[in-house]
Amino acid sequence: MIVALAVLLGLFLGLPIALLVSRAVVGGSLATALGSAAVIDALTLSLVTTAISLAITIVIATPLAHLMARRRFRGASLVEALVDLPIVLPPSVAGLALLLTLGRRGVIGEPLAELGIEIPFTTIAVIIAQVFVAAPFYIRAARAGFQTVQRDLEDAARADGASERQLAWSITIPLAAPALVAGMVMTWARALGEFGATIMFAGNFAGRTQTLPLVVYGEFQAGDVDASVAAAAILVLAAFGVLVAVRALRWGRALDLRGT
């Protein structure tokens, strides 16, 4: 019974994706899309912006995740709720919130516009939208990872004279690394697939804000289903390739540990 349910769930999750990719490959639209300048530009923009948004997330979210994991402070529950909120918000709502904050007439955007700095409908807006919707996935994973690190090991390192920086790089981060890597992968994947907040806050301008998910939507709206399927297949293959590579790296590390 359990096996049958597992098979049904596997088919439910995997069959639609397999049919989408197979249609793109067999029908030849995937090869055509890979030769399209618009698709290549959108794919390049997606890869560049997601790499930048991931780097920004790691830099600004890792200290917060560590703080949330190790210290209880007044308002901690509120901070945790605010961090998790973008996960449950509809992406279009997130985009609208960003527009009201950083738009030309937004609370922060209007003073910036007076200084000649405009964020909406630019590549920077794409990155901000990706960070906003994807960072919570990294924070949740990093917080869980830091919570698993035994404080006795850190205290022992401090007693031996290790500085906080040495402690972080030698003890805390290596021990929390599996959770950190998992959070990075989830964050990157969420940023790669971001659509709603991007189209609301950054628009859909080719070469500037048109990421690959927006190409999928645009081609479908234009009635070119094959082109839409091909762009979607590229997204699936890119995400699947990263997930496989991460798991292979994890398996490789496990084998190295067994051999030592």
Side-chain angles (χ1 to χ4, degrees), residues 57 61 82-87 130-143 187:
T57 298
L82 289 175
V83 167
D84 293 340
L85 188 58
I87 296 178
Q130 291 174 348
V131 172
F132 185 84
V133 301
F137 292 91
Y138 176 77
I139 296 173
R140 288 174 63 89
R143 179 178 59 187
T187 300

Side-chain angles (χ1 to χ4, degrees), residues 182 185-186 188-189 236-249 251:
V185 173
M186 289 299 298
W188 179 83
V236 171
L237 293 174
F240 184 74
V242 170
L243 292 174
V244 169
V246 169
R247 279 160 175 74
L249 178 62
W251 293 332

Side-chain angles (χ1 to χ4, degrees), residues 37-51 210-212:
V39 172
I40 296 301
D41 289 345
L43 177 60
T44 302
L45 181 64
S46 292
L47 295 177
V48 171
T49 54
T50 52
Q210 188 181 62
T211 56
L212 204 52

Side-chain angles (χ1 to χ4, degrees), residues 163-222:
S163 65
E164 291 301 319
R165 177 175 297 182
Q166 291 172 331
L167 180 67
W169 287 107
S170 301
I171 304 294
T172 308
I173 292 179
L175 291 178
L180 296 178
V181 172
M184 292 177 196
V185 173
M186 289 299 298
T187 300
W188 179 83
R190 179 64 185 88
L192 181 66
E194 166 49 34
F195 170 77
T198 302
I199 199 169
M200 290 286 290
F201 183 50
N204 187 14
F205 301 100
R208 189 173 67 188
T209 66
Q210 188 181 62
T211 56
L212 204 52
L214 298 184
V215 171
V216 175
Y217 174 78
E219 295 292 354
F220 188 81
Q221 287 292 100

